[in-house]
């Protein structure tokens, strides 16, 4: 089945979690490639600063504040974008958090992470899927993480949220295919963002947000279900997760002892 890869002429791009980090860099990268981009996060002042930085680029960026944990707000954001700027052709559901956790299972942090990283993604898909389906075309990309491939030491809440997002996208792909919607899963490794900078865990093969944005934008343009980088890290973690549990737990235990891994 040949599914669409949307172009700037098809409508506007919408990115959540776009005030900093990967979302910010991707908004600017898409604007460089001629897209009109609507960006969403909770803080309007940060969004407007990103939008100003697109001045002089082939495309443009417009700010629409909203909270991905609020279903009514997400629907209102999508309504507002489409009523003012036209159809959302490309949605990149990127909002995510990784707060420090306390103890074996910090339930406050766990619930916050699930609300943003998983439920927030589902709300975003829900807000655009029917509209795209009615038009018979569209493209949705969801940001998860290589941390979702399998259990990692100290990553209980974050890893669970990203594993669930991966599973959600694998499941939704069948319905999206039938509706003519291209669904893609973005699984980055470590990216140097405000979310990762405070952490003390090892960050092998870390890249800049700008490099991540270029890889995501290339993947959006070329198609394929999974966009993952750096491939050396993602394929290594995929291989590790094929091991029998005794070998898997032994290997991860040794790696965490050697590198002093702490909570994500």
């Amino acid at each position: 089945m040949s599914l669409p890869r949307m172009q700037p002429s098809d409508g506007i791009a919408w990115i959540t979690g776009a005030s900093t980090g990967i979302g910010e860099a991707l908004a600017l990268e898409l604007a460089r490639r001629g897209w009109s981009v609507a960006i969403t996060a909770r803080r309007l002042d940060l969004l407007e600063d990103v939008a100003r930085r697109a001045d002089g680029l082939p495309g443009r960026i417009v700010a629409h504040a909203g909270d991905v944990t609020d279903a009514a707000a997400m629907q209102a954001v999508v309504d507002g974008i489409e009523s003012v700027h036209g159809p959302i052709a490309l949605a990149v559901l990127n909002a995510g958090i990784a707060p420090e956790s306390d103890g074996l299972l910090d339930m406050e942090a766990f619930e916050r992470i699930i609300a943003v990283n998983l439920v927030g993604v589902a709300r975003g898909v829900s807000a655009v899927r029917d509209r795209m389906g009615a038009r018979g075309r569209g493209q949705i990309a969801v940001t998860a993480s290589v941390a979702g491939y399998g259990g990692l030491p100290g990553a209980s809440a974050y890893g669970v949220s990203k594993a669930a997002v991966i599973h959600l996208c694998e499941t939704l792909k069948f319905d999206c295919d039938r509706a003519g919607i291209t669904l893609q899963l973005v699984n980055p490794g470590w990216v140097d963002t405000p979310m990762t900078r405070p952490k003390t865990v090892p960050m092998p093969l870390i890249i800049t947000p700008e490099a991540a944005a270029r890889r995501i934008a290339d993947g959006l343009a070329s198609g394929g279900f999974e966009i993952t980088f750096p491939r050396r890290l993602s394929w290594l973690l995929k291989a590790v997760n094929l091991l029998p549990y005794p070998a898997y737990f032994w290997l991860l235990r040794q790696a965490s002892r050697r590198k002093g891994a702490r909570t994500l």
Side-chain angles (χ1 to χ4, degrees), residues 183-248:
L183 178 65
Q184 293 177 282
L185 175 65
V186 182
N187 283 325
W190 288 108
V191 180
D192 182 17
T193 69
M195 188 172 73
T196 61
R197 284 169 199 150
K199 304 203 176 292
T200 57
V201 296
M203 301 183 194
L205 303 176
I206 191 167
I207 64 173
T208 66
E210 292 74 23
R214 289 191 294 272
R215 296 187 192 195
I216 294 170
D218 288 345
L220 295 173
S222 63
F225 176 64
E226 186 183 30
I227 303 168
T228 183
F229 52 87
R231 289 189 176 274
R232 284 176 292 169
L233 178 62
S234 58
W235 284 108
L236 174 62
L237 289 174
K238 284 176 185 283
V240 166
N241 278 279
L242 295 175
L243 294 172
Y245 275 131
Y248 175 85

Side-chain angles (χ1 to χ4, degrees), residues 75-137:
Q75 193 60 61
V77 165
V78 170
D79 289 344
I81 292 169
E82 294 212 331
S83 65
V84 175
H85 307 292
I88 295 173
L90 168 64
V92 182
L93 306 174
N94 170 76
I97 60 171
E100 295 290 344
S101 299
D102 242 346
L104 180 63
L105 188 59
D106 182 336
M107 284 308 300
E108 182 181 354
F110 189 96
E111 291 174 4
R112 286 175 57 209
I113 289 170
I114 295 298
V116 175
N117 296 8
L118 175 58
V119 180
V121 163
R123 293 194 198 288
V125 173
S126 177
V128 296
R129 189 251 180 230
D130 289 343
R131 293 167 182 265
M132 291 181 176
R135 294 190 285 262
R137 57 194 282 108

Side-chain angles (χ1 to χ4, degrees), residues 35-52:
W35 279 93
S36 291
V37 187
I39 56 173
T40 295
R42 288 179 298 174
R43 289 188 54 182
L44 184 60
D45 59 328
L46 295 179
L47 295 173
E48 289 176 338
D49 180 62
V50 176
R52 282 191 292 271

Side-chain angles (χ1 to χ4, degrees), residues 19-45:
S19 59
T20 61
I22 293 175
E24 172 193 10
L26 181 59
L28 291 164
E29 181 63 28
L30 291 181
R32 289 186 191 95
R33 300 184 185 207
W35 279 93
S36 291
V37 187
I39 56 173
T40 295
R42 288 179 298 174
R43 289 188 54 182
L44 184 60
D45 59 328

